[in-house]
Amino acid sequence: MAMLKALVVDDASFVRDLVKRTVRQRFPVIETTDAQNGKRAQSLMSRNAFDLVLCDWEMPEMSGLELLQWMRQQPQCKTVPFIMITSRGDKDHVIEAVQEGVSEYLGKPFSPEGLSKKIIKVMGRRLKEAMDSSGKSMAGPADAFKESATLLTQKREAATVPAKPGAQSASSSQPESAPAKKPAAGKPSMNLASVRFADSALKSVVKDINLTEVKVVAKRDQVFPGILDQAVVDIDIGEGEMARLNGYVHQLQAVDKRQDTDFVSVTIRFVDEDPKKLEDLSRFVARFRAGRA
């Protein structure tokens, strides 16, 4: 029987399902509720009490940062642990989230282990006591609490920027997978693409792209993902700006019809529903197709 409640907030249903499945499998004492954006989450928190919030940054109607700012002003939500799960990993965004009272920061794509450790870290003994009292054991070959024992006992390093009253420090503020660096301002590269996964990244070339998916080609000597693995595609939209599109691996295919092919084609299906991201993607697709004409 669930004893704790978590709210999962992300505009992509695929990502919400991944987070909920991880929480359900690793922490059966936590019951999850989900919301597609900050506005919906705000409405749910106005009527219900939650022990943990796992939230995306970029969402329509109300962003994760705006939701965090609102929470830290509400007496009933002021100290609720808040984990920001996002493809934004540059230093400025991390500092901004820490200043607003984020508890932890996890980069997309994330692994179940990475997410579990963040949850253990922000919930601490409260989660352990709930697990112990329920008699439940952790899923997987090893006990996640034993794996992360140091996270519960280590001394948190002082934050480099002041946090607002009631905020918890985000001592491990860099995400699991750092995004590609922004290119210099100027004409965007229409061919090169960086595709990030939980434990690796692919240097690749865009073969084709539309509003639902991108097909890239990469050399075989790299580490490749599995089908349905999370992915973040970084595309240069010009003027030094990057669009970070969330998706999953839909297809892996040899480029040549022979076993010793040197290149592999990877198709990533997009899952974002944020209008701003879709607008950026539309502009990129238009320029990509114009460049091939």
Side-chain angles (χ1 to χ4, degrees):
M1 182 177 179
M3 303 171 62
L4 301 170
K5 293 184 178 182
L7 180 60
V8 180
V9 193
D10 199 295
D11 63 301
S13 59
F14 177 81
V15 178
R16 294 200 303 272
D17 290 343
L18 284 173
V19 174
K20 290 190 295 182
R21 182 165 64 245
T22 297
V23 173
R24 183 170 60 248
Q25 291 176 344
R26 306 260 173 150
F27 310 108
V29 296
I30 300 179
E31 177 185 275
T32 59
T33 302
D34 64 311
Q36 67 270 31
N37 57 52
K39 278 288 186 184
R40 175 60 179 160
Q42 188 181 54
S43 176
L44 288 170
M45 281 190 282
S46 297
R47 303 192 306 269
N48 304 279
F50 291 96
D51 305 289
L52 172 67
V53 175
L54 303 134
C55 186
D56 185 25
W57 186 309
E58 297 174 298
M59 298 179 293
E61 296 191 46
M62 176 184 278
S63 70
L65 187 67
E66 291 170 331
L67 178 64
L68 174 61
Q69 292 168 335
W70 174 82
M71 282 180 59
R72 294 312 183 216
Q73 295 173 0
Q74 310 305 310
Q76 73 275 20
C77 305
K78 193 172 185 179
T79 60
V80 173
F82 188 109
I83 300 177
M84 189 78 82
I85 306 176
T86 176
S87 53
R88 290 188 172 201
D90 49 283
K91 184 179 179 181
D92 290 345
H93 285 109
V94 173
I95 291 176
E96 187 174 11
V98 171
Q99 289 177 323
E100 296 299 339
V102 76
S103 305
E104 273 297 334
Y105 202 100
L106 179 65
K108 291 180 181 177
F110 57 86
S111 66
E113 291 75 18
L115 176 58
S116 298
K117 288 179 180 180
K118 296 293 185 182
I119 293 174
I120 291 170
K121 190 170 184 179
V122 301
M123 300 201 73
R125 298 190 181 282
R126 186 178 182 190
L127 177 58
K128 188 177 187 307
E129 289 170 359
M131 293 291 289
D132 290 343
S133 64
S134 69
K136 299 289 185 179
S137 60
M138 307 302 293
D143 188 329
F145 283 112
K146 291 180 180 178
E147 290 179 354
S148 306
T150 55
L151 295 177
L152 294 174
T153 57
Q154 69 182 9
K155 182 179 180 180
R156 294 196 175 199
E157 298 178 359
T160 56
V161 292
K164 289 188 175 181
Q168 301 180 39
S169 65
S171 59
S172 179
S173 55
Q174 289 296 340
E176 300 282 317
S177 302
K181 293 181 180 179
K182 286 185 179 181
K187 184 179 179 180
S189 170
M190 303 307 296
N191 294 321
L192 299 180
S194 173
V195 186
R196 294 182 279 126
F197 307 99
D199 301 310
S200 63
L202 276 183
K203 294 181 180 179
S204 56
V205 175
V206 176
K207 186 69 174 178
D208 196 14
I209 187 169
N210 56 46
L211 295 179
T212 60
E213 65 183 29
V214 60
K215 179 180 289 187
V216 301
V217 174
K219 291 195 68 174
R220 188 181 176 183
D221 59 1
Q222 302 180 73
V223 177
F224 281 83
I227 298 297
L228 299 182
D229 279 2
Q230 298 174 73
V232 172
V233 182
D234 297 314
I235 60 174
D236 178 6
I237 58 176
E239 302 301 326
E241 294 295 322
M242 298 291 290
R244 301 178 177 91
L245 301 166
N246 298 291
Y248 65 92
V249 179
H250 175 68
Q251 186 179 56
L252 292 171
Q253 185 176 14
V255 172
D256 302 312
K257 295 181 179 179
R258 52 189 176 86
Q259 189 176 9
D260 61 346
T261 181
D262 292 326
F263 296 93
V264 175
S265 170
V266 183
T267 300
I268 307 295
R269 283 275 174 90
F270 300 128
V271 299
D272 288 304
E273 298 176 14
D274 186 339
K276 176 63 169 61
K277 286 192 175 185
L278 294 177
E279 180 182 344
D280 290 339
L281 177 58
S282 296
R283 290 201 302 267
F284 181 88
V285 170
R287 289 199 301 267
F288 179 83
R289 297 200 180 283
R292 297 180 65 184

